[in-house]
Amino acid sequence: MPRRLLTAPRVMTRIIASAARDWATPNLRVFHREKQALVWALAVAVGLLAALGAIAFRSLIGAVQFLWSGTADERVVVHVELLPWWMILLAPAVAGLMVGLILEYWMPGKRAESVADVIEARHFPKRRLHLRTGLLSALVSAISLGGGASAGREGPVVHLGATLAAALGRWFQLPKTGNRVLLAAGVAGAVSASFNAPIAGVLFAHEVILGHYALSAFVPIVIASVIATVLSRLWFGDFPAFFIPEYQITSYWEVPAFVLLGITCAVVAILFQFALMMSDWVARNVTIPLVIRPVIGGLAVGAIAIFLPDVLGVGYEATDQALKQILSLDMLLMLLVAKTAATAITLASRFGGGIFSPSLYIGAMTGGAFGLIASSVFPELSSSAGLYAILGMGAVASAVLGAPISTTVIVFELTGGYAVTLALLLTVSISNGLTQAVHGRSYFHWQLESRGLFLQGGAHRAIVRSVVVTDFMRHLGDSDSPDPFDLEVSDLFLMPADTLEAALQRFDASGAAMIPVVDDQDATRIVGYAHQVDALSAFTKHLIDANVEEHR
C-alpha cells in the first residue's frame, strides 16, 4: 500500500485533535480562571452547612417554644389553648425583651438581617455577609419564632445559608463570580433543607438571588440543593410539609373562577404588603427605645393570640387545616385579617423572621374562603375549598416574594398537588401581574429601596451604584496626572466614596473631562483625578462582565 495512504489517517487525526484542542482550550481556561472546580467542591460543603444550619435553627425554635408551651412541635396551637391567658400574652413579650437586648448590645445594624440583605450582597460585592451577624440574626429569629412572634422561618434560614457560603468563599479567596454562585448555592441549600423542596431551592436561588439562569451556576447550585435535601430528609424524614387529600379540577368551566381567584389574591397580596410597609413606617416615626420596641410588639401579638392562637409562630397548623377544609368561612376570614396584623406588628417591632410562611398562611386562608363561597354559589361546578386553598397559597406568596416560578414549584413540593398545575399557573400569573402593576416591586426590593438601593432597573442600575470613584480614579503621582486644581476657585470635585452614578452626573452637568478627587477627611487636599473616559470604561467593563456572567 502506498506510504501516502498510510499517513492520511494520521494527518486527519492530528487535524481533528488540533481543532478539538483549539475549541476546548479557551473554555478550560475560563473554567480554571473562575475556579469552577473549586466552587463545585465547595458546593458540597455549602449544602452540608446549610442543612445543618436549618436543622439547628428549627431545633432552637423548638427549644425556646418548649420553655413556655411545653412542646417543641410546630403544631403548637392545641397546647397553647390549654395555657392560661396571661402566659399567652406574656410569652411573645418576654421573647421580645430578649430580642431587644441582643439587638441593642450585640447586633451591629440593630436589626436581624434577612433575604433582602442576601440580595444586596449579591449585587454589591462590598456589602459583606459577616458570619457573626448571620449567627446572631439566626439566634434573634429563633427566639422570636420560638416565643410566638408571627413570622416565617425560611427567610432566616436562607440568610444563614448564604452567610455560611459567603464565609467559605472569602476563606478560599474565590473570584467575584464564584462568590456570587456560592452565595446562591447556600440559598438553594437552605430552601431545600427547610422545605424538603430541592427543585424549588434551585429555582429560588436563580430567580431571586442571582436574577438569571446561567449554566455555569447551575451545577454548584444543584449540588448544594441535593446535598442539603438528603441530609434534611435523613433528619426530618422524606415527606411533604402538608398531607392533603388528592384534589382534582372538577370542570374546565372553573377557569373563570381561577381568574377571579387570581384577582382576589392580588388584592390580598397588595394589602398585605401595604400593611407591612405602613407598620414599618409608623414604627420608624415613633420614638421608642430599641429594647422596649419588641416587647410592645410582643404584647400586641400576644393579645391577638389570646383570642386566635393560630396566629402564633410559623402557622403551619392553621395552614394545614385550611388545606384540609377544616376551618369555617368565618374563621378563615378572621385568621386572614389577624395574621396580617400580627405579622405586620412582628416585623415592625424588630422581631426576626421572614414573610414566606405568613404569605402561604394568608394565601391559604384567602383561597379557602374563596372556595367555600364558590362552592355555595356553584356547587356542581366548583372544586373543593382545599384546592382553592392550594391555589391561594401560591398566588399570594409568589406575588409578595416576586418569585412566581420558584414559589409555584415550592407549593407543588410542599403539598404534592401536581394535578392542579393548570389552575395554579393561571392564578399565580394573574396575581403577580396585578401586584406588579400596583407595587412595581417585590417586598424584598421594597426593603432594599427603603435603604436607597434600587435594583429594578437592571444590571446597569446596580453597577452605577456599586462602583465608586476610588475604583477608577488616577491617584496623584501617576505619570498622566496634571497639576492640582485650585479648590478655592473651583467647587467642582468628587470624593473617593462617591458612586459612579454621582461621578457621571457631575461630568454631564459640568462638561468637564476631568474632576479632582479630594480626601474624605480633608476637602482641601486633592488625592487624585477622575477622568470621564475612565468612568465610562469602568461602567462598560462591569456591564460586559455582568452580561457574560448571565449568559455563560
Side-chain angles (χ1 to χ4, degrees):
M1 184 176 293
R3 183 180 182 86
R4 192 185 317 171
L5 295 179
L6 287 173
T7 58
R10 297 179 182 176
V11 172
M12 290 300 299
T13 301
R14 291 175 181 174
I15 292 174
I16 294 173
S18 177
R21 184 175 59 254
D22 293 342
W23 177 275
T25 298
N27 299 317
L28 291 173
R29 285 175 180 168
V30 172
F31 187 87
H32 176 71
R33 185 177 66 246
E34 299 294 340
K35 299 184 178 181
Q36 291 188 31
L38 177 59
V39 173
W40 291 10
L42 291 178
V44 177
V46 166
L48 290 171
L49 289 174
L52 292 173
I55 292 170
F57 183 72
R58 290 178 62 173
S59 300
L60 184 56
I61 292 174
V64 174
Q65 180 181 288
F66 182 83
L67 295 176
W68 66 276
S69 68
T71 180
D73 193 352
E74 284 183 341
R75 304 179 186 276
V76 68
V77 175
V78 66
H79 299 275
V80 171
E81 290 175 337
L82 302 177
L83 297 176
W85 67 268
W86 57 268
M87 187 173 291
I88 300 173
L89 176 68
L90 293 180
V94 173
L97 179 59
M98 297 174 64
V99 165
L101 291 172
I102 295 174
L103 294 180
E104 177 66 33
Y105 296 106
W106 289 301
M107 187 66 72
K110 307 298 182 183
R111 61 175 178 82
E113 295 189 351
S114 62
V115 178
D117 296 278
V118 180
I119 298 174
E120 181 182 350
R122 177 262 179 268
H123 286 279
F124 301 96
K126 292 183 177 63
R127 168 63 172 89
R128 289 188 172 186
L129 295 177
H130 297 283
L131 184 59
R132 177 177 178 272
T133 304
L135 295 175
L136 283 174
S137 294
L139 175 63
V140 166
S141 297
I143 294 173
S144 300
L145 298 174
S150 176
R153 69 164 184 251
E154 293 74 25
V157 172
V158 165
H159 182 268
L160 179 59
T163 299
L164 296 172
L168 271 182
R170 289 194 297 270
W171 181 269
F172 285 91
Q173 298 180 343
L174 293 179
K176 291 181 179 179
T177 300
N179 277 321
R180 285 192 285 266
V181 171
L182 204 64
L183 188 76
V187 170
V191 172
S192 302
S194 186
F195 283 118
N196 187 21
I199 301 175
V202 171
L203 294 176
F204 185 88
H206 280 91
E207 187 176 24
V208 176
I209 304 303
L210 286 182
H212 59 76
Y213 291 87
L215 289 177
S216 60
F218 185 74
V219 174
I221 289 175
V222 168
I223 290 173
S225 180
V226 170
I227 295 296
T229 302
V230 169
L231 189 57
S232 175
R233 288 177 178 178
L234 289 174
W235 185 271
F236 296 114
D238 182 12
F239 47 81
F242 304 106
F243 293 97
I244 60 173
E246 289 291 335
Y247 292 128
Q248 299 290 336
I249 299 174
T250 301
S251 169
Y252 287 114
W253 289 105
E254 283 188 274
V255 170
F258 299 148
V259 172
L260 184 58
L261 176 60
I263 297 172
T264 304
C265 288
V267 172
V268 170
I270 290 168
L271 293 177
F272 179 47
Q273 290 189 69
F274 273 132
L276 296 176
M277 295 174 185
M278 290 303 298
S279 61
D280 182 77
W281 182 84
V282 170
R284 290 175 185 272
N285 286 274
V286 175
T287 304
I288 301 176
L290 180 58
V291 175
I292 304 300
R293 188 181 297 273
V295 175
I296 296 174
L299 288 172
V301 172
I304 297 173
I306 292 175
F307 305 97
L308 294 169
D310 294 275
V311 303
L312 292 172
V314 177
Y316 275 179
E317 188 171 359
T319 305
D320 188 53
Q321 291 176 342
L323 294 173
K324 293 178 179 176
Q325 309 178 74
I326 297 175
L327 301 176
S328 65
L329 178 60
D330 291 342
M331 181 58 70
L332 288 168
L333 294 175
M334 283 192 295
L335 290 179
L336 168 61
V337 176
K339 188 67 172 179
T340 299
T343 304
I345 293 169
T346 292
L347 297 181
S349 302
R350 301 288 182 92
F351 279 105
I355 59 166
F356 193 84
S357 293
S359 298
L360 291 176
Y361 184 114
I362 292 170
M365 301 304 145
T366 303
F370 185 95
L372 288 177
I373 295 173
S375 298
S376 64
V377 177
F378 300 104
E380 295 181 358
L381 295 178
S382 177
S383 300
S384 63
L387 180 141
Y388 284 93
I390 295 175
L391 304 181
M393 286 173 61
V396 172
S398 63
V400 174
L401 272 65
I405 298 174
S406 53
T407 304
T408 299
V409 177
I410 286 176
V411 171
F412 284 154
E413 294 188 287
L414 281 177
T415 64
Y418 293 93
V420 300
T421 303
L422 177 67
L424 184 59
L425 288 174
L426 182 60
T427 54
V428 164
S429 63
I430 293 173
S431 178
N432 275 264
L434 294 177
T435 303
Q436 181 70 15
V438 175
H439 281 296
R441 58 191 58 79
S442 69
Y443 176 72
F444 298 141
H445 284 96
W446 170 79
Q447 287 182 303
L448 291 173
E449 289 181 11
S450 68
R451 307 172 196 171
L453 303 173
F454 298 86
L455 303 177
Q456 290 294 92
H460 64 284
R461 294 288 298 275
I463 290 171
V464 296
R465 287 172 169 83
S466 61
V467 177
V468 294
V469 169
T470 191
D471 294 331
F472 61 85
M473 62 179 281
R474 302 182 190 181
H475 295 272
L476 280 181
D478 293 349
S479 59
D480 55 350
S481 294
D483 294 332
F485 284 142
D486 185 358
L487 292 179
E488 295 181 357
V489 177
S490 174
D491 61 352
L492 180 62
F493 61 87
L494 291 167
M495 292 188 173
D498 287 340
T499 63
L500 174 59
E501 181 179 39
L504 291 174
Q505 289 174 349
R506 296 300 295 274
F507 282 122
D508 183 63
S510 65
M514 177 182 61
I515 298 177
V517 181
V518 301
D519 187 82
D520 286 321
Q521 306 300 325
D522 183 4
T524 64
R525 188 170 73 89
I526 295 177
V527 295
Y529 293 86
H531 293 245
Q532 186 178 30
V533 64
D534 294 339
L536 293 173
S537 296
F539 176 67
T540 303
K541 180 183 181 301
H542 282 82
L543 193 61
I544 291 173
D545 290 344
N547 187 267
V548 170
E549 180 182 337
E550 291 177 9
H551 294 86
R552 178 176 294 156

